[in-house]
């Protein structure tokens, strides 16, 4: 990346690169392009970064780059009981931090998000628990145990979630005031844990997430084991019992210009369901071009149908073509 001046930049700096273009796969406006990177080397005004920039063709004009301050935080061994209703608020909100950590946190009866990581680099959630993170979707309080908004390389290990909408989900920071350095894709998250009684997908991604791995995750007695609405989502060794649906994958809708369902994978699944092992569906008002192909791969997987209909798999693609690979 060539910049106007490399003065003030150093090898090893964590930077965030933001464009005035909006994310092409998100459903709504005001989710702007922004990604993390680490500077590997500097030659004159050229920065060599540690990774390729996704959708780099959209970072050609009106681009800013900023160095992250290495502020961090560690919160551990806390039990929180939420008594008052909250409106679009997280019980714990960690923003713009480098390597923040939460561990052994238990949050009871949250009315919205339990733990929010926004625009963080390399966060860690270790042995955290969410109990009854209530799904009040009518008031836009969605009941997420952990929400990753526009972070990079987050790690969630041994999360326990009971009674949430999603045990884990991604989202893109919405910046109604214009481009904000907190905007951007979620990239490189690794997630592990157990979800019970999820009112939607136990493990979930929204558009604007890339390379999210759900590894050895369990889901029990939930509406959906897991769902993806983003690129390069992998469910690796998923195990579930007493779920209504195994996996759901959603295409684009108004606001997106490319289909977010690219390179989604189910690997080594052992999942019990009463309706459908795998569904692909279109969002209402889908405007993605009919030539944009969704991609889903299922390999070495096992499904147990317990419902009266005994439906093995539904692939219903009303607008976009679908490339489905079963191995």
């Amino acid at each position: 990346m060539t910049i106007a001046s490399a003065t003030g930049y150093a090898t090893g700096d964590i930077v965030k690169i933001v464009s005035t273009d909006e994310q092409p796969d998100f459903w709504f406006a005001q989710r702007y392009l922004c990604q993390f990177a680490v500077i590997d080397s500097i030659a004159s005004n050229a920065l060599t970064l540690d990774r390729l920039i996704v959708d780099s063709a959209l970072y050609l004009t009106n681009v800013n780059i900023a160095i992250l301050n290495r502020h961090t935080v560690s919160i551990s061994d806390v039990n929180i009981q939420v008594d008052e209703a909250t409106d679009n608020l997280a019980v714990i909100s960690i923003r713009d931090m480098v390597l923040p950590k939460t561990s052994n946190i238990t949050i009871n009866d949250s009315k919205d998000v339990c733990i929010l990581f926004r625009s963080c680099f390399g966060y860690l959630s270790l042995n955290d628990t969410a109990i009854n993170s209530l799904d009040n979707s009518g008031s836009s309080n969605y009941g997420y145990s952990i929400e990753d908004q526009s972070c990079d390389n987050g790690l969630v290990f041994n999360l326990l979630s009971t009674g949430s909408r999603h045990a884990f989900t991604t989202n893109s920071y919405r910046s109604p005031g214009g481009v904000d350095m907190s905007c951007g894709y979620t990239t490189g998250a690794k997630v592990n844990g157990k979800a019970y009684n999820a009112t939607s997908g136990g493990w979930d991604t929204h558009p604007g997430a890339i390379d999210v791995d759900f590894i050895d995750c369990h889901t029990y007695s939930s509406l959906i084991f897991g769902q993806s609405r983003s690129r390069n989502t992998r469910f690796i060794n998923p195990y579930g019992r007493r779920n209504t649906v195994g996996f759901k994958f959603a295409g684009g809708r108004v606001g997106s210009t490319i289909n977010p369902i690219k390179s989604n994978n189910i690997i080594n699944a052992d999942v019990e369901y009463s309706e459908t092992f795998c569904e692909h569906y279109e969002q209402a008002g889908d405007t993605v071009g009919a030539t944009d192909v969704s991609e889903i791969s299922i390999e070495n997987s096992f499904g147990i149908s317990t419902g009266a209909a005994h439906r093995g798999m539904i692939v219903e693609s009303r607008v976009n073509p679908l490339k489905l690979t079963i191995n």
Side-chain angles (χ1 to χ4, degrees):
M1 172 171 283
T2 301
I3 59 177
S5 172
T7 301
Y9 293 92
T11 299
D13 280 345
I14 302 167
V15 296
K16 203 164 187 187
I17 304 158
V18 59
S19 168
T20 56
D21 279 315
E22 294 180 348
Q23 294 179 19
D25 56 356
F26 210 85
W27 295 337
F28 310 109
Q30 298 170 327
R31 268 75 174 183
Y32 293 96
L33 287 163
C34 198
Q35 288 174 65
F36 289 94
V38 179
I39 299 175
D40 275 346
S41 62
I42 301 174
S44 185
N45 289 346
L47 309 180
T48 299
L49 307 177
D50 70 331
R51 68 198 70 188
L52 296 176
I53 300 301
V54 178
D55 297 327
S56 59
L58 299 175
Y59 287 85
L60 300 182
T61 59
N62 299 319
V63 177
N64 292 314
I65 182 170
I67 302 171
L68 267 71
N69 294 317
R70 291 182 179 266
H71 297 156
T72 192
V73 67
S74 179
I75 305 172
S76 62
D77 305 309
V78 179
N79 191 322
I80 300 174
Q81 172 64 49
V82 180
D83 293 326
E84 297 296 326
T86 58
D87 182 17
N88 296 307
L89 295 175
V91 178
I92 295 176
S93 181
I94 299 174
R95 310 183 183 198
D96 306 301
M97 296 284 183
V98 174
L99 304 180
K101 178 182 177 181
T102 62
S103 61
N104 300 315
I105 304 293
T106 299
I107 297 177
N108 300 272
D109 300 324
S110 167
K111 309 305 187 292
D112 200 355
V113 180
C114 291
I115 301 174
L116 169 68
F117 294 98
R118 175 182 293 171
S119 193
C120 291
F121 182 87
Y123 69 80
L124 171 63
S125 163
L126 178 64
N127 300 328
D128 291 329
T129 299
I131 301 172
N132 294 334
S133 182
L134 302 180
D135 182 0
N136 298 312
S137 56
S139 60
S140 298
N141 295 340
Y142 290 112
Y144 305 150
S145 297
I146 292 182
E147 182 177 4
D148 175 326
Q149 280 193 359
S150 309
C151 297
D152 180 68
N153 283 329
L155 175 61
V156 176
F157 186 77
N158 200 30
L159 170 66
L160 177 60
S161 171
T162 301
S164 300
R165 183 182 183 89
H166 305 306
F168 173 91
T169 192
T170 67
N171 228 319
S172 293
Y173 174 61
R174 182 175 182 270
S175 182
V179 176
D180 189 304
M181 294 303 292
S182 293
C183 293
Y185 290 124
T186 287
T187 51
K190 303 286 188 289
V191 182
N192 164 264
K194 292 182 173 65
Y196 295 84
N197 305 110
T199 58
S200 184
W203 311 99
D204 176 74
T205 62
H206 284 84
I210 301 169
D211 290 322
V212 176
D213 290 343
F214 296 102
I215 304 171
D216 296 323
C217 289
H218 291 204
T219 308
Y220 301 95
S221 303
S222 298
L223 182 65
I224 308 166
F225 180 99
Q227 64 183 0
S228 170
R229 288 140 322 159
S230 64
R231 291 181 261 172
N232 302 355
T233 302
R234 288 169 289 268
F235 295 94
I236 302 170
N237 305 326
Y239 180 87
R241 291 295 183 265
R242 302 179 302 279
N243 299 299
T244 303
V245 174
F247 303 90
K248 279 194 172 186
F249 299 92
R253 63 180 179 187
V254 174
S256 58
T257 57
I258 63 172
N259 196 328
I261 302 303
K262 300 291 186 183
S263 301
N264 279 241
N265 296 272
I266 302 170
I267 304 168
N268 299 332
D270 183 352
V271 173
E272 179 184 272
Y273 58 93
S274 61
E275 290 185 0
T276 313
F277 178 77
C278 179
E279 294 185 20
H280 173 262
Y281 62 102
E282 307 296 337
Q283 295 288 340
D286 191 339
T287 57
V288 175
T291 58
D292 201 340
V293 181
S294 301
E295 299 170 344
I296 300 172
S297 173
I298 304 170
E299 55 187 271
N300 197 35
S301 292
F302 182 69
I304 306 171
S305 174
T306 60
H310 299 293
R311 303 163 82 178
M313 180 176 294
I314 289 179
V315 178
E316 184 177 38
S317 195
R318 298 183 180 183
V319 178
N320 291 91
L322 169 69
K323 179 182 178 181
L324 174 66
T325 302
I326 304 175
N327 186 5

